[in-house]
Every structure is written in structure tokens, then in C-alpha cells.
Amino acid sequence: SRLEEAVRKTVAENPVVVYSKSWCSYSSEVKSLFKRLGVDPLVIELDELGPQGPQLQKVLERLTGQHTVPNVFIGGQHIGGCTDTVKLHRNGELEPLLSEANAK
Amino acid sequence: SRLEEAVRKTVAENPVVVYSKSWCSYSSEVKSLFKRLGVDPLVIELDELGPQGPQLQKVLERLTGQHTVPNVFIGGQHIGGCTDTVKLHRNGELEPLLSEANAK
Ligand SMILES: N[C@@H](CCC(=O)N[C@@H](CS)C(=O)NCC(=O)O)C(=O)O
Ligand SMILES: N[C@@H](CCC(=O)N[C@@H](CS)C(=O)NCC(=O)O)C(=O)O
Ligand code: FES
């Protein structure tokens, strides 16, 4: 669909993309982790897009199997949510992914 | 108001009360902290009460100054949110509060 194409293009063209909800603390946590690492992700607040928000969430669920926020992509690859991203960081695997994606 | 009385009564009559949202990970985190401590809180899911949910949230904001979830009470006292509860636990101050409130 048109929206699916838009998501594929967005995650392909931006090193780090976070689909988020502005009032969600898990979304805030992952956004601030990237800030601390000197990365400026493209953040899309699903609750600030009107009717397109829930539509985008359905597309993300179709593309990634994940209906929850935050939904994180690095270098076009689907990473997962907050706990997934934090776990990668703890294992020292996040920064190599960010460098590979030219995010820093 | 009637709703304000209901909240005061609920927090006075139950050792631990958590006003929560069922899909919120911070709410889940504080609920599972209490489970790990052997405490069975009274959990009120604000998103499962229809129109009363937002009304209750307004009352909680008036009574506690806090509009966010989770909103935690122990022994009738307002504790705060998830980070507040976790911080008390880390400082060894949560368990004494729970014992005092006969929550365990
Ligand atoms: N472990 C996941 C949890 C994600 C999660 O449950 N997100 C919640 C908000 S904090 C959500 O999107 N809930 C909507 C739903 O469950 O339908 C992560 O770390 O991202
Ligand atoms: N530090 C607070 C954060 C609470 C918070 O921001 N909760 C969010 C959901 S995770 C909320 O209620 N957002 C609604 C809003 O901001 O209006 C805590 O640990 O409880
Ligand atoms: S909505 Fe509470 S942590 Fe996401």
C-alpha cells in the first residue's frame, strides 16, 4: 500500500527512526538513550498524526510483527522496542550498528 | 465530589492501590515490582472504565497533583509513579512502608 511504501522509504533513508507516542515513558527512554549516544533519530509521534497514526501502527505491525511503541529501526533494519534497544546497548552491540548506519 | 470521596475511601481501605493503564509498560513495571515483593495491590485500570477513566484521572490530579500513570498509594499515602516507587525500593524504604501498611 501507499503507506507501506512510505514506511519502507522512511526507514531506508534515515539512519535511525523511532515510531513513538509522545506521552509514553518507554518511548521517551529510547529517545533519550539515542540523544545520550549523540544520535539524532527521526522521531515520528504516532499520537500526533490524527487518523494516520493508527493506520501507520497497523502498517508497522504488518511489516514488523510489532504493534507496540516505541518501534525502532537502525540502518533500515527493524530493531524492536525499548527493552530490545537497551539490551543491545548493554551488550555493546548498539554502537556498532549505529556506526555502520552512519548515524553518528 | 462523589468520585473524590470514592478515591479517598479506596486508598484508605486498601494497603496498596495502583491506578494504572493496562497497555502501559511503566504501569506493568510497578505492578510486577509489587508482585515480586509478595504484595497483591488493588489495581484499577483507568482505560477499562469507559468514561469514568478520564474522570478518575482528573480527580487523581486534583488530589495528588499527578496526572500520569501509574499512580501509587501505600497505607493511604500518595507515593507517586513508577520511578518514585522504584527509587524507594532501591533505598530500602519501600518494604518498611509496606509492612507499616500491613500490605505483606
Ligand atoms: N518490551 C516492549 C514493550 C512495548 C509496549 O508494551 N509498549 C506499550 C506502551 S509502553 C504499547 O505500545 N502498548 C500498546 C498495546 O499494548 O497495545 C518495549 O520495550 O518496547
Ligand atoms: N516518572 C513517571 C512518569 C509517568 C508518565 O509519564 N506516565 C505516562 C505513561 S508511561 C503518562 O501517564 N502519560 C500521560 C501524559 O503524559 O499525559 C513515573 O515513573 O510514573
Ligand atoms: S505508555 Fe507507559 S511506558 Fe509507554
Side-chain angles (χ1 to χ4, degrees):
Chain A
S1 76
R2 201 175 46 69
L3 213 51
E4 218 167 279
E5 265 330 295
V7 171
R8 285 184 201 281
K9 197 170 139 64
T10 302
V11 300
E13 293 179 359
N14 294 281
V16 183
V17 181
V18 177
Y19 290 92
S20 163
K21 286 190 180 162
S22 62
W23 36 261
C24 164
S25 300
Y26 261 37
S27 297
S28 311
E29 273 190 22
V30 86
K31 285 185 279 189
S32 52
L33 171 60
F34 285 129
K35 288 268 178 333
R36 283 202 306 279
L37 296 175
V39 169
D40 194 7
L42 174 67
V43 174
I44 295 163
E45 301 290 4
L46 294 173
D47 60 309
E48 295 177 352
L49 302 173
Q52 263 219 338
Q55 289 170 354
L56 258 176
Q57 242 184 314
K58 282 215 185 60
V59 167
L60 287 166
E61 183 165 10
R62 261 206 316 276
L63 290 176
T64 66
Q66 182 184 322
H67 69 279
T68 56
V69 287
N71 203 335
V72 178
F73 293 80
I74 298 176
Q77 297 297 319
H78 178 237
I79 300 295
C82 174
T83 44
D84 305 304
T85 309
V86 168
K87 204 174 292 167
L88 282 174
H89 182 48
R90 251 192 229 125
N91 299 339
E93 292 167 31
L94 187 62
E95 301 216 53
L97 280 175
L98 291 169
S99 306
E100 225 173 277
N102 292 326
K104 309 239 298 181
Chain B
S1 75
R2 202 175 45 71
L3 214 51
E4 219 167 280
E5 268 325 296
V7 171
R8 283 183 202 282
K9 196 169 140 66
T10 302
V11 300
E13 292 179 356
N14 293 282
V16 182
V17 182
V18 177
Y19 291 92
S20 163
K21 286 190 180 164
S22 62
W23 36 259
C24 163
S25 299
Y26 260 38
S27 297
S28 311
E29 273 191 21
V30 87
K31 286 183 277 188
S32 51
L33 171 58
F34 285 128
K35 289 268 178 332
R36 283 200 307 278
L37 296 175
V39 170
D40 195 9
L42 174 68
V43 174
I44 295 164
E45 301 290 1
L46 294 173
D47 59 308
E48 296 177 351
L49 302 174
Q52 261 218 336
Q55 288 172 354
L56 257 176
Q57 235 181 318
K58 280 214 191 63
V59 167
L60 286 166
E61 183 166 11
R62 263 207 317 277
L63 290 176
T64 67
Q66 182 184 324
H67 71 279
T68 56
V69 288
N71 202 333
V72 178
F73 295 79
I74 299 176
Q77 295 299 320
H78 178 238
I79 299 297
C82 174
T83 44
D84 305 306
T85 308
V86 167
K87 206 176 288 166
L88 283 175
H89 181 50
R90 249 191 231 127
N91 298 340
E93 293 168 27
L94 187 61
E95 301 216 54
L97 281 173
L98 292 169
S99 307
E100 226 175 276
N102 293 325
K104 300 204 357 141

